Amino acid sequence: MTDQLSRRTFAKLAGAAALGASNIPLVAQAQVEAATLPPPSPRSFPTGFLWGTATASYQVEGAVAEDGRLPSIWDTFSHTPGKVAKNATGDVADDHYHRYKGDVQLMKALGVKAYRFSIAWPRVFPNGSGAPNAKGLDFYNRLVDELLANGIQPFATLYHWDLPQALQDRGGGWESRETAEAFGKYAGYVAQHLTDRVKHIFTINEFGAFMELGYNIGVHAPGLKLPPKRFYQARHNGVLGHGLAVQAIRASGKPGTKVGLAENLVVGVPVIENAEHIAAAEKATRDINAQYLTVIMEGKYTDAYIARMGANAPRVTADDLKIISSPLDFVGTNIYQPTFVRADAGPSGYAVVPNPPSYPHMISPWLFMGPEVLYWGPHHVAKLWNVKEIYITENGTSSSDVPAADGKVYDTDRIMYLRNYLSQLQRAVADGVPVKGYFLWSLMDNFEWADGYENRFGLHYVDYATQRRTPKLSAAFYREVIARNAVA
Ligand code: GBH
């Protein structure tokens, strides 16, 4: 509205100027000159900014035993009593496998230009390696065709945590180099068959989550608490798998295919925006992400990380490091919560400042509210590693999302969160940080890992008994953002 009004005002002024009216105040005349183009709102994003939403295979698809799919570590884990809230599983989830056409219409109604989904490895290679299952890949052929027919660009993630159980059984999953090699082959196969239509591929979603939670803390699949030496080896195999996948996609993908990853790096946010704390936050970001994003971008483990691993460090060859740091076309960042950092006199130059007990969070206890993380995240990535193409591959929030008497969900907390975070993202692009797109997590409520269905992150409310999807108030908000290409 404001934009239209001001445009009308400018048009009037411009018309008066063309007629040579002499009674226009000087200030207004300057405005007339600036108004040959519609004035961009100070809250707007660059033309062509890619607005999208995101989901992941095990969280939405269901159909876990269809068309040749075999179990993943998440099927095994969720079927182990006591691992997931209310012992929920992804057996049905959002039944997206059968309802994808309707779900694409939900996206179309939002006006999104892009959709980030993940491919279930155990659909494509049910045993992790060996013979591919063409019927499994066909689901993604259908999905991609449906997206393109509706003017939505597909962005595919190859690994969003559903490792084929067979690989876990054979060599301990990511503990084994065999898994990294199998991942490379799977990536090459997918690239060969989808990159005629899918132009952006993410290798791995969030090392920082599935490695730590799955192999170290044990609260995610495969539920292990490995001793340090084996855990560091698993981390190394993970980044190696990423590198092998990048190489395989380059070798088998059609020209023009772009490759990156989607990492939830720890983002150091300066406690105060001045030179010393900003420098400390940048250092912290490079240091704390040493085992994942830093080695991928720099081709070596930092001295500090090597020192931290000590005698438990894995054997690392120069060849491994070369593979791990295969050049990327873009970096995707999943960004939710801040890690506050201050300058410190100690050898590292920084200190992480824990959130005080009174620090506000969204309904998920880990989801501390800190909009400026969406400014500093991409800022650090661009500056530390000279990255020219960045995507926010996930951002969003959970909410209690209790339907009101009229059946609608008035999720004003989610809108509050998004409005504040997007304002900081807008600040980043206005400063010239090369963020090209934003994928809101998530299109619809879904299986939230160990939290089961208790935690809702969707723009659409899902009634799991009927599979009915209802847009929440935040869906209307996001539609408005996309239509204006500006913070609403
Ligand atoms: C993303 O992870 C995931 O990519 C996505 O699948 C998920 O649905 C979405 O976020 C929302 O959670 O409860 O203390 O064990 C974001 C990073 C890391 C956030 C693990 C939750 C669990 C902390 N996640 N963390 S705890």
Side-chain angles (χ1 to χ4, degrees):
M1 271 308 119
T2 336
D3 273 356
Q4 276 171 19
L5 275 180
S6 61
R7 238 175 262 156
R8 217 175 293 142
T9 313
F10 279 124
K12 240 194 235 163
L13 289 168
L19 291 172
S22 55
N23 58 345
I24 304 174
L26 273 180
V27 175
Q29 274 190 6
Q31 283 176 338
V32 169
E33 271 141 42
T36 42
L37 289 173
S41 148
R43 291 158 74 77
S44 63
F45 284 79
T47 311
F49 190 82
L50 209 61
W51 295 103
T53 58
T55 64
S57 47
Y58 191 70
Q59 295 182 271
V60 298
E61 285 178 359
V64 290
E66 265 177 68
D67 296 328
R69 182 190 183 277
L70 288 180
S72 74
I73 55 174
W74 265 98
D75 295 86
T76 309
F77 190 75
S78 65
H79 279 270
T80 308
K83 299 296 184 191
V84 173
K86 298 198 174 161
N87 291 325
T89 74
D91 287 3
V92 178
D94 290 326
D95 195 31
H96 173 72
Y97 194 78
H98 301 113
R99 295 168 193 265
Y100 69 95
K101 285 191 177 175
D103 293 337
V104 170
Q105 291 311 307
L106 301 179
M107 298 176 213
K108 203 173 174 186
L110 287 172
V112 297
K113 312 285 187 292
Y115 174 51
R116 174 175 175 249
F117 60 96
S118 85
I119 294 175
W121 185 351
R123 288 196 194 282
V124 183
F125 286 92
N127 284 300
S129 56
N133 169 36
K135 272 185 132 180
L137 188 73
D138 265 352
F139 169 65
Y140 302 103
N141 276 316
R142 294 194 292 278
L143 174 63
V144 164
D145 290 345
E146 188 69 16
L147 288 164
L148 290 172
N150 284 280
I152 299 167
Q153 290 182 46
F155 280 61
T157 307
L158 296 176
Y159 187 75
H160 202 124
W161 310 353
D162 39 3
L163 183 76
Q165 181 64 43
L167 286 171
Q168 190 61 43
D169 294 343
R170 280 209 290 278
W174 291 105
E175 279 199 70
S176 155
R177 203 176 170 103
E178 186 203 333
T179 294
E181 281 158 8
F183 184 61
K185 298 216 174 82
Y186 153 64
Y189 179 81
V190 171
Q192 192 188 335
H193 290 89
L194 290 186
T195 55
D196 56 332
R197 287 154 294 152
V198 179
K199 297 302 176 193
H200 295 80
I201 303 207
F202 307 97
T203 56
I204 284 186
N205 180 72
E206 299 195 352
F207 291 104
F210 80 88
M211 273 295 169
E212 313 297 312
L213 301 176
Y215 289 85
N216 186 29
I217 302 171
V219 296
H220 276 193
L224 299 174
K225 292 181 187 168
L226 295 180
K229 193 171 174 64
R230 286 167 62 189
F231 179 56
Y232 293 139
Q233 183 67 56
R235 278 179 169 174
H236 181 68
N237 292 337
V239 288
L240 183 70
H242 154 84
L244 289 168
V246 174
Q247 296 191 341
I249 295 162
R250 298 249 186 261
S252 307
K254 300 274 183 294
T257 306
K258 290 190 168 187
V259 191
L261 81 174
E263 180 59 349
N264 61 327
L265 73 163
V266 173
V267 176
V269 174
V271 283
I272 299 169
E273 293 192 2
N274 67 16
E276 60 162 348
H277 295 306
I278 290 171
E282 198 178 297
K283 261 187 222 154
T285 302
R286 177 171 178 268
D287 189 38
I288 299 173
N289 298 291
Q291 62 271 33
Y292 305 125
L293 199 53
T294 304
V295 69
I296 287 170
M297 302 312 290
E298 299 185 10
K300 57 184 171 51
Y301 289 114
T302 62
D303 293 341
Y305 180 54
I306 293 170
R308 282 203 289 279
M309 289 190 291
N312 291 316
R315 203 175 78 87
V316 175
T317 67
D319 201 38
D320 283 359
L321 291 170
K322 215 169 145 210
I323 295 168
I324 291 167
S325 59
S326 303
L328 301 178
D329 299 300
F330 60 83
V331 170
T333 55
N334 296 359
I335 295 185
Y336 290 88
Q337 82 281 37
T339 297
F340 288 106
V341 168
R342 62 169 172 80
D344 187 74
S348 73
Y350 72 87
V352 169
V353 181
N355 291 328
S358 56
Y359 195 97
H361 60 77
M362 306 305 288
I363 197 167
S364 299
W366 57 270
L367 221 177
F368 293 104
M369 174 82 190
E372 21 345 294
V373 69
L374 216 43
Y375 176 81
W376 289 107
H379 185 280
H380 292 323
V381 168
K383 177 131 185 282
L384 281 169
W385 301 300
N386 196 25
V387 177
K388 303 287 188 217
E389 186 170 340
I390 297 173
Y391 293 92
I392 307 302
T393 31
E394 285 181 30
N395 172 246
T397 184
S398 48
S399 164
S400 49
D401 286 340
V402 180
D406 62 3
K408 297 193 173 148
V409 174
Y410 297 97
D411 51 342
T412 50
D413 55 344
R414 181 173 285 109
I415 294 174
M416 177 278 292
Y417 176 101
L418 293 171
R419 185 189 295 119
N420 281 282
Y421 274 67
L422 288 174
S423 297
Q424 290 290 325
L425 183 62
Q426 195 279 336
R427 178 185 161 210
V429 295
D431 278 7
V433 180
V435 182
K436 306 297 181 191
Y438 170 90
F439 294 83
L440 199 155
W441 185 273
S442 177
L443 172 66
M444 55 191 165
D445 297 337
N446 57 50
F447 177 78
E448 178 55 19
W449 308 113
D451 292 331
Y453 297 99
E454 302 306 299
N455 244 313
R456 295 174 177 271
F457 273 81
L459 290 172
H460 294 86
Y461 183 87
V462 177
D463 174 356
Y464 293 105
T466 61
Q467 289 295 344
R468 202 168 151 214
R469 284 92 157 114
T470 308
K472 302 176 190 173
L473 191 61
S474 56
F477 167 79
Y478 195 42
R479 194 177 341 108
E480 188 89 25
V481 168
I482 296 170
R484 289 196 212 171
N485 198 32
V487 183

